[in-house]
Structure formats: C-alpha cells, structure tokens
C-alpha cells in the first residue's frame, strides 16, 4: 500500500508472478514499499487446523483483513505487520453454514461482502464492536446458471457499488462471467444482468477471473490466465 500523491488515496497494487520483465514494460504507477510473508507458523498450522491459504484481502478503516479458503477455515483475520512478517492479530469467527471455501471479500465502509465458493453463497457482514454478524443475501442465479455443477469454478470475486446499490459477483471459469444484482435494504438481490469480458487478441482463450474491485464508477476484474486487469 502506498499513497497516491495526486489524490491522497491509498492504492493496493496486486503483485503478479510471471515471466521476468513482463510487468515492467510500462512505467510503474507506484512503488512497492516491501513484500512480507505471513508468519511461517500460520503457513504450517493454525489453531489445530490446516495451514492458512490466504484467498482474499480488504481494508477497513485503515486495518487489513484477510480470508483463507481451506474447508474448515471460517475466520476473518485481522492482519498486522510486525517485524519481518504479517501476524494474525485477531480471528473473527464467521457464521458460515456448512463447508467453507471463502474466496472474495470486499469492504464498503463497515460492511463486508464475502463469497463462499463451496455453496455459491453470498454473505454480508457488519463490523460492530469487533464482532461480525452474518447476513446471508437472498441471491437467485438465472435458470441458465447450474450452480450445483460449478464446484471449484464458481464464485471467486465480489465488489459493491454503494451509490447504485449494485452487487457484482464473479464466476471464476468454465466459463467465466460477472453477475449483477440490485440489493434492497433487507439484503434481497434482484437479478439485473450478466456479462463476460472480451478477451484481448493475444489473451488465453479460457478466462479465469480471480477478483473484482469497484472504484470511482469503474469495475475492475483481475484475469489470472491472461495476466491482465479489465
């Protein structure tokens, strides 16, 4: 994270590992301050469970929160930078029913939207007094979306336009798609439309969307196989 001098905003720059020199063809818009790993203890085991496999990251009021996608991992982790590594300062238990495969998370103020790929479910959490309250959203996918067959090619990213009350959900692959829903105050989602990303001429023929982000009226999608941002 580094501040943008022109706007004062904080920018989150994704790091992609690919062929040497690929990312430096263009002048970088920011400077990487440091790269630090999650403490080795969490990469082996945590609270008697499997190693944490970080799958989502968001910022709330200057604090960094992360998710893991292991089946038994139902925590929202508060991450703090200490010495040489990122440490887990707190684990907030999430009321997610059944098996978990937590992937995308997006913050809109104190509200966090989260997708669980295991059940293709969408949750909304409100952070109050360091507690999380689960609000499963009532999302019905169009009849053409056979969610039971999505398995590990399902919901991977989420973003929210608070002004228009529009929720964006990314299906990862086979095929990839972005679903748009209008939310009411009770958390009921009305299907608006779906669309796909037009691949570049030299892009991978089979897309894989790994994350979404909404800012200043634009929706951004991170496309993994083509090393691109749409």
């Amino acid at each position: 994270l580094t501040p943008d001098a022109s706007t004062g905003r904080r920018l989150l720059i994704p790091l992609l590992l690919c062929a040497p020199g690929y990312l430096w063809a263009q002048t970088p818009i920011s400077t990487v301050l440091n790269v630090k790993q999650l403490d080795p203890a969490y990469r082996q085991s945590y609270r008697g469970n499997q190693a944490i496999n970080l799958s989502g990251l968001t910022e709330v009021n200057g604090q960094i929160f992360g998710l893991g996608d292991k089946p038994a991992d139902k925590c929202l982790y508060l991450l703090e930078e200490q010495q040489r590594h990122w440490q887990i300062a707190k684990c907030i238990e999430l009321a997610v029913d059944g098996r978990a495969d937590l992937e995308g998370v997006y913050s809109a103020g104190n509200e966090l939207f989260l997708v669980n790929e295991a059940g293709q479910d969408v949750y909304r959490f409100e952070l109050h007094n360091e507690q999380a309250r689960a609000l499963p959203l009532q999302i019905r996918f169009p009849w053409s979306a056979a969610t039971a067959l999505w398995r590990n090619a399902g919901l991977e990213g989420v973003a929210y336009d608070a002004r228009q009350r529009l929720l964006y959900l990314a299906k990862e692959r086979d095929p990839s798609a972005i679903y748009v829903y209008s939310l009411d105050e009770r958390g009921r989602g009305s299907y608006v439309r779906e669309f796909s990303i037009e691949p570049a001429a030299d892009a991978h023929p089979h897309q894989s969307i790994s994350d979404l982000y909404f800012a200043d009226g634009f929706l951004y999608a991170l496309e993994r196989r083509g090393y691109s941002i749409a």
Side-chain angles (χ1 to χ4, degrees), residues 10-11 18 20 28 32 54 58 63 76 85 90 106 117 128-129 133 155-156 160-161 166 168 177 189 213 228:
R10 295 171 68 81
L11 303 177
C18 56
V32 176
L54 288 178
T58 193
Q63 295 182 307
L76 178 68
H85 300 286
K90 185 172 297 183
Y106 184 87
E117 193 175 21
H128 293 297
N129 299 322
R133 180 166 58 93
L155 294 181
E156 192 80 7
Y160 183 62
D161 177 356
L166 292 178
Y168 297 90
Y213 186 74
S228 60

Side-chain angles (χ1 to χ4, degrees), residues 28-220:
I29 63 172
S30 185
T31 301
V32 176
L33 299 182
N34 59 57
V35 178
K36 295 188 177 181
Q37 293 180 308
L38 194 64
D39 190 281
Y42 308 128
R43 286 180 270 143
Q44 297 173 10
S45 65
Y46 181 66
R47 303 172 70 194
N49 295 326
Q50 292 178 300
I52 295 175
N53 187 20
L54 288 178
S55 58
L57 191 70
T58 193
E59 180 266 340
V60 182
N61 298 325
Q63 295 182 307
I64 303 297
F65 291 88
L67 295 172
D69 64 0
K70 295 292 185 181
D73 196 343
K74 299 181 180 182
C75 278
L76 178 68
Y77 298 108
L78 172 60
L79 303 175
E80 292 183 353
E81 188 178 2
Q82 298 176 12
Q83 297 178 353
R84 298 177 55 191
H85 300 286
W86 287 94
Q87 305 287 342
I88 294 177
K90 185 172 297 183
C91 169
I92 301 175
E93 299 282 353
L94 301 177
V96 175
D97 296 330
R99 182 177 177 272
D101 183 2
L102 305 181
E103 295 291 352
V105 58
Y106 184 87
S107 63
N110 284 327
E111 285 190 322
L112 277 77
F113 295 86
L114 179 151
V115 291
N116 181 15
E117 193 175 21
Q120 314 304 339
D121 300 315
V122 186
Y123 291 86
R124 180 167 61 187
F125 297 91
E126 295 180 358
L127 295 179
H128 293 297
N129 299 322
E130 301 180 348
Q131 297 294 321
R133 180 166 58 93
L135 296 172
L137 299 180
Q138 301 175 35
I139 298 294
R140 291 189 177 183
F141 288 90
W143 66 270
S144 59
T147 58
L149 302 177
W150 286 1
R151 297 185 177 88
N152 198 40
L155 294 181
E156 192 80 7
V158 58
Y160 183 62
D161 177 356
R163 183 178 179 181
Q164 301 292 332
R165 301 185 66 87
L166 292 178
L167 182 72
Y168 297 90
L169 303 173
K171 181 183 180 299
E172 182 181 6
R173 64 182 190 277
D174 302 330
S176 63
I178 295 176
Y179 297 90
V180 187
Y181 288 85
S182 176
L183 294 186
D184 63 19
E185 295 181 354
R186 297 183 179 182
R188 293 176 300 191
S190 299
Y191 174 76
V192 177
R193 68 189 182 103
E194 67 183 90
F195 62 93
S196 58
I197 300 173
E198 185 70 24
D202 58 347
H204 194 285
H206 303 291
Q207 294 183 328
S208 178
I209 301 175
S210 59
D211 210 353
L212 294 177
Y213 186 74
F214 185 87
D216 301 325
F218 291 92
L219 178 69
Y220 299 86

